[in-house]
Amino acid sequence: MSVIDADVKGRTRVEPSGPSSEEGLATTETGHSRRTVTLILAGLLAGLLLGFMDVTIVSTAGPTIISELGGLSLYAWVFSAFLPIFGKLSDLYGRKRLFLLGVVVFMAGSVLSGASQSIVELILFRAVQGLGFGAFVPTTIAIAGDMFPPERRGRVQGLLFSVNGIAFAIAPAVGSFLTETISWRWIFYINLPVGVVSLVLILSTLKESRAENASAFSDWLGTSTLVGFLGLLMLGLFLGGSTFAWSSWAEVSLFAGSALLFLGFVVAERRAHEPVLPPRLFRIRNVSAGTAVNLLRAVVFFAIIAYIPLFAAAVLGGSVRDVRNVVYGFTLPLTAGILVSGVAISKVGFRKLAFLGAAIVLFGLLVLTSVRPSPSLLQLIVIGIPLGFGNGMVIPATIVAFQNSVEKGEIGIASGLATFTLNLGGAIGVSILGSIQASIFASTQASLLAITPTDGPAIVREAFSQSILVLFWVILGVSVVTLASTLLLKPTRTDAKAVGTA
């Protein structure tokens, strides 16, 4: 077995703790044995399974949760409470402790979410889950980035996310089963045994110590202004058009405060000794371009996860099992796309795969918006195939673009930024889309009620249908911009070498 020591820059070194053997032949650039690598990857896989199964399982049970707790106008918050980054902390203090902390916090949030008595409580406790998710997912990516050289990272990241495609495969069935037979609350409690497995594996296999000269985290001003900026921004987006008029003093104050905090964050990061998000990273073309791709792709991804199942249930009258099948239509191809992309990166490069994946998603959205007057359940399932496969192809491609464009000592920051921009895009995107949908729903319902005031349920369904269909057109527009953004990615030397030797 080996001991991994993280230095001040997050680099890793290996110190043998026992005699070498044929069985302990190093399989990574850090010299891990095959057995240790297998166990570490198993622990990482269990962690990612924990996080991504939760996202998908909630989308399956979402309509049932809304029917019990109420709060349709707050529905998008359930999907957008996953926020900030811990990649920088993992560079300073080591990956292991951040991973373990994240899993524990996520499990605590799961218990609280399952015990929620109102939609507001559920949103708050999902935010607790989000803190844990924001800690262990980028740390997982960073650990894998440390263990393998650049030319093998695409395949490893593809392995991580494709095996966690198991989450997308089993979550809909588990979600529908628990919701129908026990209670939707168990979709959160089911996280606990998976989390325990992950904790035990990482605790027993990953040996890591912080270097004595590692500097302590000091960018509290930058972190505070970042959290404040995001909080006020999302409040403004969610409350605008529903609780407050867009032109009201409350909305103006929220957006003005958000803008000031963002400026404060930029200033703080330029002055910080160890900034949580170094501004110089955005001078790297693939970091800035990857950020744009991640932000835009997240809007499309989370919108599909959140609103297509809700459309199937609320508009098309689908049962819990129907919603599960619609989710399968997206998640199973998603897994296949991740697998294909992870294997192909070393042959064709991340730029081409990101472009191709975004193009396939755009095709799927064109089909979705062209179905008149609205798609059937079967059509939704079929349309989910290109939507899922294309999204899956982009995931490993963007992660490798971030990691292969920075020094090894900054893999933690790059991995954290990749996860953070994905979650940020999802949070902001779903909040904007939720606001648009709620505004269109309210105006359409009022118009229909003015014409036929006695047919309430049918009018509500029609108003909701129209608002969601408009939303699909907005998502299509975002997808076009996403496709264009992938063209800004530039192959790295490692990427180009892989293509040339394919």
Side-chain angles (χ1 to χ4, degrees):
M1 183 175 295
S2 300
V3 178
I4 311 170
D5 288 326
D7 68 11
V8 64
K9 294 298 185 180
R11 298 179 177 86
T12 58
R13 61 179 182 272
V14 179
E15 297 177 2
S17 57
S20 60
S21 65
E22 289 293 327
E23 187 178 2
L25 182 64
T27 59
T28 68
E29 66 173 9
T30 53
H32 290 83
S33 69
R34 292 181 182 275
R35 179 178 178 276
T36 302
V37 167
T38 300
L39 292 175
I40 292 174
L41 287 178
L44 298 179
L45 291 171
L48 287 182
L49 179 68
L50 177 72
F52 287 103
M53 186 170 71
D54 184 82
V55 174
T56 312
I57 206 172
V58 170
S59 69
T60 304
T64 303
I65 295 174
I66 292 299
S67 67
E68 180 174 328
L69 299 182
L72 177 61
S73 62
L74 299 176
Y75 176 69
W77 279 85
V78 176
F79 293 88
S80 58
F82 284 67
L83 284 176
I85 54 175
F86 291 82
K88 179 62 179 181
L89 293 180
S90 76
D91 281 339
L92 292 175
Y93 298 107
R95 319 293 190 207
K96 181 176 180 178
R97 64 187 68 189
L98 264 296
F99 180 91
L100 297 177
L101 175 63
V103 172
V104 170
V105 171
F106 188 90
M107 292 170 65
S110 297
V111 173
L112 294 172
S113 295
S116 300
Q117 298 301 311
S118 68
I119 191 67
V120 174
E121 287 186 4
L122 178 59
I123 291 168
L124 292 175
F125 297 146
R126 286 282 286 169
V128 175
Q129 282 187 293
L131 290 174
F133 185 91
F136 75 78
V137 171
T139 306
T140 298
I141 299 171
I143 290 173
D146 284 337
M147 290 170 59
F148 295 91
E151 61 272 14
R152 297 182 61 187
R153 286 175 190 157
R155 189 165 295 188
V156 174
Q157 298 296 349
L159 170 66
L160 286 175
F161 283 91
S162 63
V163 173
N164 276 277
I166 295 173
F168 298 128
I170 67 176
V174 172
S176 62
F177 173 78
L178 293 175
T179 302
E180 289 179 319
T181 59
I182 308 178
S183 168
W184 61 264
R185 299 180 185 280
W186 281 88
I187 68 172
F188 297 107
Y189 299 148
I190 196 67
N191 291 333
L192 301 183
V194 181
V196 169
V197 170
S198 179
L199 289 175
V200 170
L201 285 172
I202 295 300
L203 274 171
S204 60
T205 59
L206 184 59
K207 305 299 181 183
E208 184 179 68
S209 62
R210 178 189 171 204
E212 294 181 358
N213 61 339
S215 58
F217 180 75
S218 59
D219 190 18
W220 297 110
L221 179 59
T223 301
S224 300
T225 52
L226 175 61
V227 173
F229 152 66
L230 295 173
L232 291 184
L233 177 62
M234 286 204 302
L235 279 174
L237 292 171
F238 271 115
L239 299 179
S242 55
T243 305
F244 302 118
W246 288 107
S247 58
S248 67
W249 66 268
E251 281 295 293
V252 172
S253 298
L254 286 172
F255 286 122
S258 177
L260 289 175
L261 285 172
F262 177 75
L263 291 176
F265 169 69
V266 173
V267 173
E269 294 306 275
R270 288 182 174 179
R271 296 181 177 180
H273 176 64
E274 290 283 354
V276 68
L277 193 58
R280 59 181 170 74
L281 286 182
F282 292 98
R283 300 192 192 105
I284 302 173
R285 178 171 169 175
N286 279 348
V287 172
S288 55
T291 296
V293 173
N294 252 10
L295 288 170
L296 294 166
R297 183 182 68 83
V299 176
V300 177
F301 179 83
F302 283 99
I304 292 171
I305 285 290
Y307 285 102
I308 286 185
L310 188 61
F311 182 84
V315 177
L316 303 181
S319 64
V320 174
R321 293 184 180 182
D322 292 327
V323 173
R324 176 199 65 192
N325 293 334
V326 169
V327 174
Y328 269 141
F330 174 78
T331 57
L332 293 180
L334 178 76
T335 304
I338 294 171
L339 273 169
V340 170
S341 180
V343 173
I345 282 179
S346 61
K347 298 181 180 179
V348 301
F350 56 76
R351 184 176 185 267
K352 291 181 180 179
L353 289 174
F355 177 83
L356 180 59
I360 294 174
V361 172
L362 178 59
F363 169 76
L365 288 170
L366 283 170
V367 175
L368 178 63
T369 53
S370 66
V371 177
R372 301 289 186 181
S374 63
S376 65
L377 286 168
L378 179 59
Q379 287 174 322
L380 273 185
I381 294 173
V382 174
I383 292 170
I385 296 175
L387 294 177
F389 189 81
N391 267 291
M393 291 187 68
V394 180
I395 291 174
T398 52
I399 291 174
V400 173
F402 274 98
Q403 290 188 336
N404 286 9
S405 302
V406 300
E407 297 295 329
K408 185 177 178 182
E410 295 179 324
I411 285 179
I413 299 177
S415 302
L417 181 60
T419 306
F420 172 65
T421 52
L422 180 63
N423 293 332
L424 176 61
I428 294 177
V430 173
S431 64
I432 292 175
L433 295 175
S435 178
I436 293 173
Q437 184 270 326
S439 178
I440 296 174
F441 171 77
S443 61
T444 304
Q445 183 181 26
S447 300
L448 293 174
L449 284 173
I451 300 173
T452 315
T454 58
D455 195 11
I459 285 178
V460 170
R461 186 165 56 252
E462 176 62 23
F464 187 78
S465 175
Q466 291 186 26
S467 66
I468 293 295
L469 290 175
V470 171
L471 211 59
F472 290 159
W473 279 101
V474 175
I475 298 169
L476 174 63
V478 177
S479 184
V480 172
V481 182
T482 305
L483 179 64
S485 299
T486 62
L487 296 174
L488 299 176
L489 292 171
K490 180 181 179 181
T492 61
R493 283 182 295 179
T494 301
D495 199 42
K497 180 180 178 181
V499 176
T501 58

